[in-house]
PDB file of all heavy atoms in Angstrom:
ATOM      1  N   ASP Y 107     -11.164 -16.596  -9.930  1.00 85.00           N
ATOM      2  CA  ASP Y 107     -10.851 -17.762  -9.091  1.00 85.00           C
ATOM      3  C   ASP Y 107      -9.362 -17.884  -8.822  1.00 85.00           C
ATOM      4  O   ASP Y 107      -8.927 -18.239  -7.715  1.00 85.00           O
ATOM      5  CB  ASP Y 107     -11.342 -19.066  -9.761  1.00 85.00           C
ATOM      6  CG  ASP Y 107     -12.867 -19.152  -9.751  1.00 85.00           C
ATOM      7  OD1 ASP Y 107     -13.521 -18.383  -9.025  1.00 85.00           O
ATOM      8  OD2 ASP Y 107     -13.416 -20.040 -10.462  1.00 85.00           O
ATOM      9  N   CYS Y 113      -3.032 -16.596  -6.410  1.00 89.00           N
ATOM     10  CA  CYS Y 113      -2.038 -16.465  -7.517  1.00 89.00           C
ATOM     11  C   CYS Y 113      -1.325 -15.118  -7.430  1.00 89.00           C
ATOM     12  O   CYS Y 113      -1.985 -14.096  -7.152  1.00 89.00           O
ATOM     13  CB  CYS Y 113      -2.717 -16.560  -8.874  1.00 89.00           C
ATOM     14  SG  CYS Y 113      -2.878 -18.287  -9.462  1.00 89.00           S
ATOM     15  N   ALA Y 114      -0.058 -15.123  -7.692  1.00 88.00           N
ATOM     16  CA  ALA Y 114       0.707 -13.902  -7.768  1.00 88.00           C
ATOM     17  C   ALA Y 114       0.639 -13.305  -9.172  1.00 88.00           C
ATOM     18  O   ALA Y 114       1.138 -12.215  -9.417  1.00 88.00           O
ATOM     19  CB  ALA Y 114       2.166 -14.145  -7.380  1.00 88.00           C
ATOM     20  N   VAL Y 138       1.435  -8.412  -7.797  1.00 85.00           N
ATOM     21  CA  VAL Y 138       0.491  -9.266  -8.519  1.00 85.00           C
ATOM     22  C   VAL Y 138       0.532  -8.848  -9.972  1.00 85.00           C
ATOM     23  O   VAL Y 138       0.402  -7.674 -10.302  1.00 85.00           O
ATOM     24  CB  VAL Y 138      -0.945  -9.105  -7.973  1.00 85.00           C
ATOM     25  CG1 VAL Y 138      -1.949  -9.892  -8.838  1.00 85.00           C
ATOM     26  CG2 VAL Y 138      -0.999  -9.568  -6.514  1.00 85.00           C
ATOM     27  N   GLY Y 169     -18.167 -11.752  15.394  1.00 72.00           N
ATOM     28  CA  GLY Y 169     -17.332 -10.996  16.338  1.00 72.00           C
ATOM     29  C   GLY Y 169     -16.887 -11.852  17.523  1.00 72.00           C
ATOM     30  O   GLY Y 169     -15.728 -11.781  17.935  1.00 72.00           O
ATOM     31  N   ALA Y 187      -4.210 -11.460   5.310  1.00 79.00           N
ATOM     32  CA  ALA Y 187      -5.254 -10.698   4.661  1.00 79.00           C
ATOM     33  C   ALA Y 187      -4.725  -9.482   3.887  1.00 79.00           C
ATOM     34  O   ALA Y 187      -5.367  -8.954   2.991  1.00 79.00           O
ATOM     35  CB  ALA Y 187      -6.309 -10.214   5.671  1.00 79.00           C
ATOM     36  N   GLU Y 194       6.379 -14.936   3.637  1.00 84.00           N
ATOM     37  CA  GLU Y 194       6.516 -13.507   3.921  1.00 84.00           C
ATOM     38  C   GLU Y 194       5.921 -13.175   5.272  1.00 84.00           C
ATOM     39  O   GLU Y 194       6.496 -12.331   6.041  1.00 84.00           O
ATOM     40  CB  GLU Y 194       5.812 -12.697   2.831  1.00 84.00           C
ATOM     41  CG  GLU Y 194       6.507 -12.767   1.457  1.00 84.00           C
ATOM     42  CD  GLU Y 194       5.597 -12.286   0.347  1.00 84.00           C
ATOM     43  OE1 GLU Y 194       4.357 -12.249   0.495  1.00 84.00           O
ATOM     44  OE2 GLU Y 194       6.163 -11.924  -0.713  1.00 84.00           O
ATOM     45  N   LYS Y 216     -11.441 -22.417  15.367  1.00 82.00           N
ATOM     46  CA  LYS Y 216     -12.167 -21.425  16.186  1.00 82.00           C
ATOM     47  C   LYS Y 216     -13.160 -20.660  15.377  1.00 82.00           C
ATOM     48  O   LYS Y 216     -14.251 -20.282  15.872  1.00 82.00           O
ATOM     49  CB  LYS Y 216     -11.175 -20.466  16.865  1.00 82.00           C
ATOM     50  CG  LYS Y 216     -10.273 -21.149  17.899  1.00 82.00           C
ATOM     51  CD  LYS Y 216      -9.286 -20.143  18.501  1.00 82.00           C
ATOM     52  CE  LYS Y 216      -8.356 -20.822  19.478  1.00 82.00           C
ATOM     53  NZ  LYS Y 216      -7.394 -19.863  20.081  1.00 82.00           N
ATOM     54  N   GLU Y 224     -11.214 -18.851   3.259  1.00 76.00           N
ATOM     55  CA  GLU Y 224     -12.381 -18.306   3.941  1.00 76.00           C
ATOM     56  C   GLU Y 224     -11.971 -17.502   5.170  1.00 76.00           C
ATOM     57  O   GLU Y 224     -12.568 -16.430   5.412  1.00 76.00           O
ATOM     58  CB  GLU Y 224     -13.325 -19.436   4.327  1.00 76.00           C
ATOM     59  CG  GLU Y 224     -14.136 -20.027   3.174  1.00 76.00           C
ATOM     60  CD  GLU Y 224     -15.260 -20.910   3.632  1.00 76.00           C
ATOM     61  OE1 GLU Y 224     -15.415 -21.095   4.877  1.00 76.00           O
ATOM     62  OE2 GLU Y 224     -15.999 -21.435   2.789  1.00 76.00           O
TER      63      GLU Y 224
END
Side-chain angles (χ1 to χ4, degrees):
D107 290 347
C113 274
V138 174
E194 291 165 340
K216 294 178 181 180
E224 284 191 0

